[in-house]
């Protein structure tokens, strides 16, 4: 008996030791580590009871992470598997939605060092719970779902009075989500909805301990005004103002000392302080100013470096620490947006016109946050040459902004279209419930919270308070005053379209005129002088040819045999992995009509996928090239956001790479079209453009033009455009391709942009190489019959002869080039034949499993080699401990038989 007791006692001791207090002194802040999650249908309905320490046995509940929607939690617990949910139409047929129509409970026990001293305070901070929640601490309701609403409605609650010695409990009752009724994160027509509509505690819940005075997160403004600064120059004499909100939680006046520190990578660079007298329960804002003599300016990656400073503020009372603000990262840079003479929005960064080339971001279908995945996505953005990501109502977590700051990716944040967010009386296009009085309160809380999260980050290019439709005057006023309250320092844009605008903000200067579905590559050039719809002029906030077809290896992971058959055999079939079944984009009929007419009816899945990659490559290259080429046109192209960057689940379209991060045709079309210094062909009129999107790149250039037929025979005397000057951040037309009238069926056009400057390795260095396959005529667009999503083609370019090329002999060699943390290899390709080797794709595979290694960076891919041409391509990937022998590269092209390189 004595032995048994001793064992129990030591067990109790071990348990007690295992739980360390979440917070123990002023300035401590910790997120709850995770939750026990259960449906209310399988738990007691008595929240008071459930939120008492030790009152419930949660061993049968699901243990989930700190940020977890209901579905994410069920997947984490093996109730569902995402590979299964993503397969074919399982999401529609294999999930019972009943459990998601009732609330779900999230319960967590935590310990704090309980000290009921006067002047000690403990808070619970939320950052948004979908769709709304009641919160309980130790049997007390601290917030009702009538108040705690919206995926972005974060709030602070004081819980000091309810805490106990030892174990304490937080219980969240999360209510079901209806995208039309609630301020949630909807997917509109992007993809099928998650069965729970994203319900749950998707962001951290934190416990914070302070003394008598507490601090908000710091906000930063600077007086920096970029006067034509260059990326290698320092800014001088910049005043940085750090603002914090300070609250006295006591019944008596207090004097607090507020001290702020600014540090760079190496050291503290400035300190400022201020003493403030606060009346009982007073809240005030304290500003601390510091002057920095020599400042390294923050730049988007395409232009320069990303020096960052961090700032932290503390409050002390009589030399005792009362609170420490969260550390925030900032960079010194200036962003502006103005309407140009054509009423198009044009951005500048650090005083230089900033042509936005970007794409629309999607979170994971179940809102699972995976920092490594987002890091890969942002690397892909930069690898493709893009500079901006649009976040349409999917603002994710603070880490996303830190990542963008470090990597130099600009972010265009904003609220989402349609659904509840755009429930305006004048919006007849979307069925979101119209706003009532209380909704403005939720909108205010959401805007205040998100602005506070984003404010310091140099990656912010602006915030769009509306998407398809502008907010009403009252909501605009709520949003703008909340942003101003948080010292918002970048442009506030009324919406992503030009349908109307609130007086307070004026027109957005952004167009949303489509396309969202397939259009031929010459579409983008119709804008030059004619200015049709989505063509390359002004600022297109979401548009593209709808492409992004995954390669076969990905397709086989999420499509059944029947789905795969339908994909190529039934060109008009509705497909579950396109947009939702009520959407215009449920089928691929417009795309397939183009594919069948231009490349010929496919006779196998492989042939369909190959032709799709060619269509996709043509589509994205032309869109980005046209916007870059026309940045100085009479009506300048000022920016374009491709619809979209990535998908929430394995999708067949609207993405630049697939859900599994495999880059394919759309990716390399973008990567070619978005080169910082580049030469491009205008499909519409045969002209050639020199593109320069750099600030430091430029000089004396020449362009060599070759046009050959499918037998490799030249259709023109090799043409040279010499003595052209490449000017930083400037594009222009430099000539026209001759010999196009000699095309019999198809031809291959190669543009080589070379440097003639001595500093480029003795001149003649190829800066950009770009190959097009062309038909006898261009696609004819029927502009007058355009819809909001596409422009019909009345006569297609005939590219069928691309499939009749004689076989090309390609030699390839691979050598490993360097071995840092990443694997890097160089592949030399030799086209030993007298015909072009068309659309040669290389894939890096695990030798053992045959799986593609991702994420991966290819210097170029899906490329076309001229007869006798030799090219070097580099590939890099993080492969852990694998050696060259563990990998192989598969090479194949339209007229190149598949072979492996080991
Ligand atoms: C809920 O639980 C509390 C605490 O155990 C108890 O006092 C209360 O009576 C219960 N309420 C109902 C309706 O059962
Ligand atoms: C999800 O939201 C849609 C409205 O967008 C609604 O029709 C549906 O019933 C919701 N699903 C659940 C499980 O509440
Ligand atoms: C720096 O700026 C401040 C405020 O604008 C000004 O008073 C001061 O003279 C400037 N100092 C130098 C060295 O330029
Ligand atoms: C507050 O911050 C200042 C500046 O970094 C530091 O010197 C001071 O020690 C901090 N105060 C307390 C009480 O930690
Ligand atoms: C730009 O907008 C203003 C005000 O809305 C209007 O007066 C002006 O005519 C517009 N300019 C052009 C070129 O459309
Ligand atoms: C928004 O909320 C803040 C904080 O509660 C409040 O001070 C402000 O008056 C609100 N703004 C509007 C327009 O309701
Ligand atoms: C190159 O262009 C410059 C300026 O347009 C001109 O002065 C020069 O003569 C040209 N050189 C040649 C070799 O054509
Ligand atoms: C628009 O489509 C209709 C019906 O197909 C056709 O009759 C008409 O000619 C088209 N308009 C133009 C301008 O091509």
């Amino acid at each position: 008996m004595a032995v048994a007791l001793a064992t129990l006692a030591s067990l109790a001791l071990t348990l007690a030791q295992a739980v360390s207090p979440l917070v123990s002194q002023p300035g401590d802040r910790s997120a709850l580590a995770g939750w026990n999650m259960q449906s209310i249908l399988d738990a007691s309905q008595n929240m008071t009871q459930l939120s008492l320490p030790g009152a419930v046995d949660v061993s049968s509940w699901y243990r989930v992470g700190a940020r977890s929607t209901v579905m994410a939690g069920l997947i984490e617990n093996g109730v569902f598997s995402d590979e299964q949910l993503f397969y074919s139409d399982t999401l529609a047929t294999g999930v019972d939605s009943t459990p998601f129509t009732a609330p779900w409970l999230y319960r967590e026990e935590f310990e704090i060092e309980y000290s009921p001293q006067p002047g000690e305070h403990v808070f619970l901070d939320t950052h948004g719970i979908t769709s709304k929640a009641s919160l309980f601490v130790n049997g007390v309701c601290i917030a009702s779902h009538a108040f705690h609403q919206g995926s972005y409605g974060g709030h602070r609650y004081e819980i000091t009075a309810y805490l106990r010695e030892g174990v304490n409990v937080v219980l969240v009752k999360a209510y079901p989500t209806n995208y039309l009724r609630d301020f949630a994160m909807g997917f509109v027509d992007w993809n099928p909805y998650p069965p729970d509509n994203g319900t749950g505690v998707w962001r951290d819940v934190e416990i914070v301990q302070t003394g008598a005075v507490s601090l908000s997160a710091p906000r930063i403004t600077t007086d920096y005004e970029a006067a034509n600064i260059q990326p290698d120059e320092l800014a001088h004499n910049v005043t940085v103002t750090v603002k914090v909100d300070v609250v006295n939680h006591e019944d008596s006046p207090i004097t607090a000392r507020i001290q702020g520190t600014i540090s760079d990578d190496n050291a503290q660079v400035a300190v400022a302080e201020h003493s403030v007298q606060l009346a009982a329960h007073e809240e005030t804002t304290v500003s601390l100013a510091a002057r920095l003599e020599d400042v390294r300016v923050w730049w988007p990656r395409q232009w320069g470096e990303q020096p960052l400073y961090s700032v932290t503020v503390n409050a002390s009372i009589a030399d005792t620490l009362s609170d420490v603000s969260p550390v925030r990262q900032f960079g010194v840079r200036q962003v502006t947006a103005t309407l140009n003479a054509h009423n198009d929005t044009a951005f500048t960064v650090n005083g230089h016109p900033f042509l936005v080339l970007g794409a629309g971001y999607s979170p994971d279908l179940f809102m699972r946050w995976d920092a490594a995945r987002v890091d890969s996505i942002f690397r892909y953005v930069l690898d493709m040459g893009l500079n901006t990501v649009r976040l349409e109502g999917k603002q994710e977590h603070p880490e996303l902004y830190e990542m963008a700051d470090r990597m130099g990716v600009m972010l265009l944040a904003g609220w989402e279209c349609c659904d509840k967010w755009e429930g305006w009386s004048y919006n007849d296009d979307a069925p979101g419930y119209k706003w009532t009085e209380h909704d403005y309160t939720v909108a205010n809380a959401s805007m205040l919270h998100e602005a506070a999260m984003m404010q310091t980050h140099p990656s912010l290019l602006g915030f769009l308070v509306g998407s398809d439709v502008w907010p009403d005057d009252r909501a605009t006023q709520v949003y703008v005053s909340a942003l101003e309250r948080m010292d918002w320092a970048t442009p506030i844009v009324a919406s992503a379209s030009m349908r109307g605008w609130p007086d307070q903000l004026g027109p957005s200067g952004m167009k949303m005129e489509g396309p969202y579905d397939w259009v031929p590559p010459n579409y983008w050039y119709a804008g030059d002088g004619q200015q049709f719809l989505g063509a390359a002029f002004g600022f297109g906030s979401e548009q593209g040819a709808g492409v992004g077809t995954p390669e076969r290896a990905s397709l086989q992971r999420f499509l059944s045999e029947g789905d795969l058959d339908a994909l190529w055999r039934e060109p008009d079939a509705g497909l579950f992995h396109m947009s939702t079944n009520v959407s215009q984009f449920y089928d691929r009929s417009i795309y397939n009509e183009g594919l069948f007419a231009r490349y010929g009816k496919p006779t196998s899945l492989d042939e369909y996928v190959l032709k799709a990659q060619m269509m996709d490559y043509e589509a994205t290259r032309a869109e980005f090239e046209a916007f870059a080429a026309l940045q100085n046109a009479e009506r300048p192209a000022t920016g374009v956001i491709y619809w979209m960057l990535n998908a929430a689940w394995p999708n067949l379209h609207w993405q630049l790479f697939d859900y599994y991060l495999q880059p394919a045709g759309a990716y390399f079309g973008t990567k070619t079209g978005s080169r910082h210094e580049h030469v491009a062909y205008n499909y519409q009129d045969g002209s050639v453009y020199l593109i320069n999107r750099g600030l430091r790149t430029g000089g004396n250039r020449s362009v060599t033009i070759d046009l050959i037929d499918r037998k490799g025979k030249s259709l023109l005397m090799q043409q040279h455009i010499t003595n052209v000057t490449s000017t930083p951040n400037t594009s222009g037309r430099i000539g026209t391709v001759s010999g196009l009238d000699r095309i019999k069926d198809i031809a291959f056009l190669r543009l080589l942009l070379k440097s003639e400057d001595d500093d480029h390795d003795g001149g003649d260095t190829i800066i950009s190489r770009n190959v097009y396959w062309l038909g006898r005529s261009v696609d004819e667009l029927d502009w007058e019959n355009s819809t909001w999503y596409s422009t019909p083609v009345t006569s297609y370019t005939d590219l069928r002869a691309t499939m009749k090329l004689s076989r090309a002999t390609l030699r390839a060699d691979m050598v490993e080039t360097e071995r840092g943390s990443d694997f890097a290899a160089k592949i030399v390709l030799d086209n030993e034949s007298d015909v072009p080797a068309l659309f040669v794709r290389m894939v890096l595979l695990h030798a053992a499993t045959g799986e593609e290694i991702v994420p991966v960076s290819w210097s170029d891919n899906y490329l076309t080699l001229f007869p006798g041409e030799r090219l070097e391509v580099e590939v890099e990937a993080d492969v852990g401990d694998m050696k060259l022998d563990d990998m192989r590269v598969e090479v194949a092209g339209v007229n190149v038989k598949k072979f492996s390189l080991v």
Side-chain angles (χ1 to χ4, degrees), residues 780-817:
E780 262 171 46
L781 287 147
D782 176 6
W783 288 101
E784 281 177 35
N785 280 327
S786 293
T787 57
W788 62 271
Y789 50 85
S790 191
T791 295
V793 174
T794 47
S795 157
Y796 289 100
T797 299
D798 186 353
L799 297 167
R800 287 176 299 175
T802 53
M803 298 295 138
K804 295 185 194 129
L805 290 174
S806 309
R807 176 130 312 165
T809 315
L810 195 68
R811 262 178 59 93
D813 285 304
M814 172 161 70
V815 285
E816 199 168 344
T817 53

Side-chain angles (χ1 to χ4, degrees), residues 735-753:
T736 301
V737 175
S738 57
L740 294 166
D741 53 343
R742 282 180 226 136
I743 301 177
K744 287 213 183 62
D745 45 15
I746 53 161
F748 299 89
L749 170 68
R750 184 180 63 187
L751 307 177
L752 294 176
L753 174 66

Side-chain angles (χ1 to χ4, degrees), residues 46 48-49 52:
N46 187 337
T48 310
Q49 169 74 13
L52 288 173

Side-chain angles (χ1 to χ4, degrees), residues 43-267:
S44 152
Q45 305 266 336
N46 187 337
M47 297 302 121
T48 310
Q49 169 74 13
L50 279 179
S51 64
L52 288 173
V56 56
D57 175 9
V58 291
S59 58
S60 66
W61 293 29
Y62 303 105
R63 183 65 197 167
V64 305
R67 302 167 173 178
S68 179
T69 65
V70 173
M71 277 303 290
L74 295 176
I75 294 168
E76 191 181 344
N77 281 271
V79 176
F80 298 108
S81 96
D82 50 4
E83 284 276 311
Q84 233 163 34
L85 288 172
F86 291 159
Y87 188 71
S88 191
D89 60 357
T90 312
L91 261 184
T93 59
V95 185
D96 172 16
S97 66
T98 323
F100 308 110
T101 57
W104 281 72
L105 304 176
Y106 288 73
R107 186 180 186 279
E108 180 68 344
E109 300 193 343
F110 67 98
E111 291 211 8
I112 70 158
E113 267 177 21
Y114 182 58
S115 54
Q117 312 291 327
E120 294 273 342
H121 299 270
V122 179
F123 302 91
L124 181 140
D125 283 4
T126 62
H127 299 282
I129 295 168
T130 308
S131 65
K132 49 183 177 264
S134 297
L135 290 96
F136 302 83
V137 172
N138 296 340
V140 179
C141 178
I142 60 163
S144 149
H145 65 280
F147 172 75
H148 200 287
Q149 299 198 346
S151 296
Y152 298 105
H155 297 278
R156 163 166 285 197
Y157 304 97
E158 174 146 23
I159 56 172
T160 320
Y162 318 126
L163 294 173
R164 303 181 172 192
E165 185 97 48
V167 175
N168 291 270
V169 174
V170 175
L171 177 73
V172 176
K173 181 180 179 185
Y175 285 76
T177 306
N178 178 309
Y179 296 125
L180 304 180
R181 182 194 61 206
D182 303 315
F183 289 96
M185 294 177 283
F187 288 101
V188 200
D189 58 351
W190 302 3
N191 42 253
Y193 303 162
D196 62 352
N197 283 355
T199 296
V201 185
W202 75 286
R203 276 179 167 172
D204 286 343
V205 171
E206 295 174 298
I207 305 293
V208 181
Q209 184 173 343
T210 76
V213 162
S214 71
L215 296 174
S216 70
R219 305 184 292 275
I220 307 283
T221 55
T222 74
D223 65 353
Y224 172 62
E225 280 181 37
N228 202 22
I229 192 168
Q230 292 299 315
D232 49 4
E233 291 169 4
L234 295 172
H236 300 291
N237 196 21
V238 173
T239 299
V240 176
T241 304
V242 179
K243 287 196 195 175
V244 276
D245 302 329
V246 185
V247 185
N248 175 9
H249 297 281
E250 300 296 314
D251 297 329
S252 50
I254 286 181
T255 300
R257 185 172 168 201
I258 313 298
Q259 288 176 289
T261 310
I262 298 173
S263 315
D264 67 9
D265 288 347
N266 309 311

Side-chain angles (χ1 to χ4, degrees), residues 21 24 63 91 105 140 227 231 362 390 403 501 615 670 784 847 852:
S24 55
R63 183 65 197 167
L91 261 184
L105 304 176
V140 179
S362 175
R390 179 171 168 214
M403 235 180 254
W501 51 83
M615 290 264 287
T670 303
E784 281 177 35
E852 183 168 353

Side-chain angles (χ1 to χ4, degrees), residues 421-546:
W421 293 92
E422 293 190 343
W424 314 117
S425 57
Y426 45 84
N427 183 5
D428 300 326
D429 288 347
Y433 294 11
K434 303 302 178 216
W435 286 33
T436 58
E437 189 63 28
H438 178 62
D439 294 322
Y440 294 90
T441 313
V442 180
N444 184 22
S446 305
M447 190 73 260
L448 285 167
H449 186 273
E450 296 309 287
M453 175 181 76
M454 296 177 193
Q455 195 274 346
T456 63
H457 293 286
S459 49
L460 262 297
L461 196 57
F463 197 95
L464 275 60
V465 293
S467 179
D468 294 29
V469 180
W470 69 104
D472 70 16
D473 289 342
R474 183 169 168 199
T476 303
Q477 203 261 321
V478 167
Y479 287 147
V480 173
S481 54
L483 285 160
E484 283 170 355
R485 166 76 181 77
M486 289 298 155
D487 302 293
W488 193 256
T490 61
I492 303 170
V493 183
S495 74
S497 77
M498 283 290 272
R499 295 175 185 175
W501 51 83
D503 286 343
Q504 194 180 349
L505 289 172
S508 71
M510 294 188 180
K511 61 176 178 176
M512 192 189 279
E513 302 284 341
Y516 294 88
D517 209 329
W518 189 79
V519 290
N522 57 324
Y523 174 98
W524 309 105
Y525 289 96
D528 199 10
Q530 292 184 75
Q531 298 169 7
F532 286 125
L533 303 174
F537 66 88
F539 194 106
S541 66
E542 47 177 76
Q543 54 176 65

Side-chain angles (χ1 to χ4, degrees), residues 298-301 304-309 328-331 333 378 382 398-411 453-461:
W298 188 96
W299 294 88
R301 176 59 65 91
E305 293 180 359
Q306 292 74 45
L308 291 167
Y309 296 88
R328 285 293 161 88
Q329 188 170 279
F330 76 96
R333 61 92 183 87
F378 283 4
L382 295 173
E399 296 95 301
L400 179 141
Y401 301 84
E402 288 165 10
M403 235 180 254
D405 290 349
R406 278 197 306 274
M407 296 170 78
V409 173
M410 302 307 292
L411 300 172
M453 175 181 76
M454 296 177 193
Q455 195 274 346
T456 63
H457 293 286
S459 49
L460 262 297
L461 196 57

